[in-house]
């Protein structure tokens, strides 16, 4: 990987959030010039471009803003992170391949990883040298992740992993993944899980891309056949995988919910309001009311996630409140899709080839429903909010306390696990 470039001096970490945000804006303007239009690239060229940008972002001191200094971060507060988030709203940085690692896997390793894991993985993740994915869902375990059947069995000092995962974002370009598997079928389903670091290039790992309705292949199914895992690949503790999963899902939901729409995004308030003015549909009182509601809801979500980040700085983690951000983010996306149809009318379905923004809108509209599923469905988020935030009674569960081996999960028969 080579030695990382020198980062900004310690004295620069004392700058005010306002100055930090202004400097970030200047840097982004220099590295992402106006228009942000690039020549078409092959997938390999796109990935190389993303890696180069992430490395430059890191070297400039704008990656890992709140991460600990000893693992490659800047050690700054959430106010500095928010200042950067505000600055980046005017740009579309090519950081898609790193979202899962930076928003979910990395923070979980920082919370639960061993010192050796943190030293080994966090800095390369921040610089874009290594890409991570999250392997939770299975064909028979989506919303109920604890029903997963992929398993790892001890083999000497290590483990041997077999199973299948699905809907794994970015697996086809990832170097590593955080995988949740069953290590003890003789205890209730939530108690027999363990999280591991998985080398995505290891023998026995097969990745097959899945094409979604946008026409792109972002998701994948992953097959695991006799994959060997070293003993030091455990994240957290053996048998404590559910706690590790809850930690990661908490990071994921706050991250997804807090992903503010870029002003250039096809379904952002700014883009839709500008399009309505251009088309003359902003004179429609229904469109105006809906646009106002979208602005208010997006702004409320931004302030809510900002508050959670500030509270995290004081030692109060967001916990289940992350599901509030995740749910509101998905509802905002659905509202933006409806408004897009109101604004564009019939051209939402068919458009003149000269309308260069129409393709981006179509992709955004087709991709928006995934936000109601990714990171847990809206229904799951409502259950979490009801039980863990509002204190409502838990839903009945017939499998609580029953050893996983005795459950019928998918096509599994009792005693065959």
């Amino acid at each position: 990987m080579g030695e990382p470039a020198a980062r900004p001096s310690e004295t620069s970490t004392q700058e005010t959030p306002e100055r930090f945000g202004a400097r970030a804006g200047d840097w982004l303007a220099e590295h992402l010039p106006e228009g942000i239009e690039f020549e078409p690239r092959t997938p390999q060229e796109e990935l190389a471009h993303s890696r180069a940008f992430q490395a430059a972002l890191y070297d400039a001191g704008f990656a890992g803003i709140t991460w600990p200094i000893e693992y490659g971060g800047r050690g700054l507060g959430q106010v500095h992170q928010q200042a950067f988030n505000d600055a980046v709203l005017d740009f579309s940085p090519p950081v898609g391949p790193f979202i899962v690692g930076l928003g979910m896997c990395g923070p979980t390793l920082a919370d639960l990883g061993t010192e050796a894991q943190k030293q080994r993985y966090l800095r390369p993740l921040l610089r874009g040298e290594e890409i991570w994915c999250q392997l939770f869902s299975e064909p028979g375990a989506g919303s109920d992740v604890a029903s997963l059947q992929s398993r790892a069995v001890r083999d000497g000092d290590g483990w041997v992993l077999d199973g299948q995962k699905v809907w794994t974002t970015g697996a086809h370009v990832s170097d590593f993944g955080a995988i949740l598997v069953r290590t003890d079928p003789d205890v209730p389903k939530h108690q027999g899980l363990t999280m591991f670091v998985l080398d995505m290039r290891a023998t026995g790992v097969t990745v097959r891309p899945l094409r979604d309705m946008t026409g792109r292949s972002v998701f994948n199914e992953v097959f695991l056949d006799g994959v060997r895992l070293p003993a030091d690949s455990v994240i957290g503790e053996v048998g404590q995988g559910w706690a590790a999963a809850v930690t990661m899902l908490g990071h994921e939901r706050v991250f997804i919910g807090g992903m503010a729409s870029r002003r250039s995004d096809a379904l952002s308030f700014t883009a839709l309001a500008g399009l309505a003015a251009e088309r003359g549909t902003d004179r429609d009182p229904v469109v105006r009311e809906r646009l106002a509601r979208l602005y208010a809801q997006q702004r409320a979500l931004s302030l809510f996630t900002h508050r959670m980040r500030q509270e995290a700085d004081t030692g109060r983690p967001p916990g289940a409140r992350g599901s509030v951000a995740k749910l509101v983010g998905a509802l905002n996306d659905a509202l933006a899709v409806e408004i897009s149809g109101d604004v564009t009318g019939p051209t939402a379905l068919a458009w003149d080839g000269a309308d260069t923004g129409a393709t981006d809108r179509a992709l955004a509209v087709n991709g928006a429903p995934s936000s109601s599923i990714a990171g847990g469905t809206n229904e799951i988020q409502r259950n979490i909010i009801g039980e863990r935030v509002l204190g409502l009674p838990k839903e009945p569960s017939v499998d609580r306390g029953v050893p996983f081996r005795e459950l019928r999960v998918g096509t599994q028969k009792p005693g065959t696990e």
Side-chain angles (χ1 to χ4, degrees), residues 293-360:
R293 181 149 55 98
L294 179 64
Y295 173 82
Q297 291 182 188
Q298 288 183 344
R299 182 61 177 157
L301 177 58
S302 175
L303 293 172
F304 178 65
T305 55
H306 189 194
R307 175 177 176 176
M308 285 196 295
R309 292 191 182 104
Q310 289 180 318
E311 290 175 347
D313 267 352
T314 67
R316 182 189 178 192
R321 292 178 302 151
S323 288
V324 177
K326 168 65 176 62
L327 175 61
V328 174
L331 296 177
N332 285 352
D333 286 349
L335 176 59
V337 168
E338 294 178 7
I339 294 172
S340 176
D342 294 337
V343 169
T344 58
T347 60
L349 301 177
W351 54 88
D352 190 299
D355 186 352
T356 56
T359 299
D360 290 340

Side-chain angles (χ1 to χ4, degrees), residues 103-274:
M104 304 160 205
C105 300
T108 302
L109 280 172
D111 287 342
L112 304 176
T114 63
E115 182 63 23
Q117 288 173 338
K118 296 174 186 178
Q119 293 288 350
R120 165 62 185 84
Y121 296 118
L122 294 185
R123 190 185 303 269
L125 193 163
L126 283 174
R127 284 201 89 239
E129 295 169 354
E130 294 173 348
I131 300 173
W132 281 67
C133 62
Q134 173 204 64
L135 301 107
F136 279 17
S137 296
E138 297 185 3
S143 293
D144 184 12
V145 174
S147 293
L148 61 85
Q149 297 186 60
S150 294
R151 64 179 299 181
V153 296
R154 287 191 183 274
D155 183 53
D157 291 336
W159 301 80
V160 176
L161 170 62
D162 292 278
Q164 179 184 355
K165 296 293 181 177
V166 73
W167 312 126
T168 306
T169 302
H172 58 302
V173 296
S174 291
D175 302 289
F176 295 97
I179 186 167
L180 189 66
V181 299
R182 190 164 305 282
T183 49
D184 187 353
D186 295 317
V187 296
K189 63 183 184 181
H190 290 84
Q191 298 175 23
L193 305 175
T194 302
M195 186 181 290
F196 294 89
V197 174
L198 173 66
D199 182 349
M200 296 298 293
R201 317 295 183 195
T203 301
V205 178
T206 302
V207 179
R208 296 179 183 171
L210 297 169
R211 192 175 300 278
D212 63 28
M213 67 182 183
T214 67
R216 297 173 295 184
S217 295
V218 177
F219 303 116
N220 304 266
E221 54 184 347
V222 181
F223 298 89
L224 308 147
D225 184 13
V227 182
R228 302 194 67 84
L229 301 171
D232 61 1
S233 62
V234 175
I235 299 176
E237 299 180 19
V238 174
Q240 296 299 311
W242 185 249
V246 169
T247 296
M248 183 173 289
L249 289 171
H251 287 301
E252 179 181 30
R253 287 160 185 166
V254 172
F255 182 77
I256 293 175
M259 288 177 65
S261 296
R262 307 282 185 259
R263 294 188 178 99
S264 60
D265 289 351
L267 296 182
S268 70
F269 165 80
T270 301
L272 291 173

Side-chain angles (χ1 to χ4, degrees), residues 3-8 58-60:
E3 291 297 321
R7 305 196 79 196
Y58 174 88
D59 293 340

Side-chain angles (χ1 to χ4, degrees), residues 28-90:
L28 290 165
E30 178 183 351
H31 289 77
L32 295 173
E34 186 176 358
I36 320 175
E37 295 293 338
F38 300 100
E39 292 297 322
R41 297 182 173 94
T42 66
Q44 294 77 15
E45 290 171 336
E46 288 284 359
L47 183 59
H49 174 65
S50 293
R51 286 185 186 273
F53 179 85
Q54 183 65 28
L57 190 72
Y58 174 88
D59 293 340
F62 298 121
I65 294 170
T66 63
W67 292 29
I69 294 174
E70 58 267 33
Y71 306 124
R74 292 297 310 279
L76 299 174
Q78 292 294 342
V79 289
H80 288 81
Q81 181 66 61
Q82 188 62 44
F84 177 82
N85 292 349
D86 292 342
V88 84
L89 287 176
D90 290 319

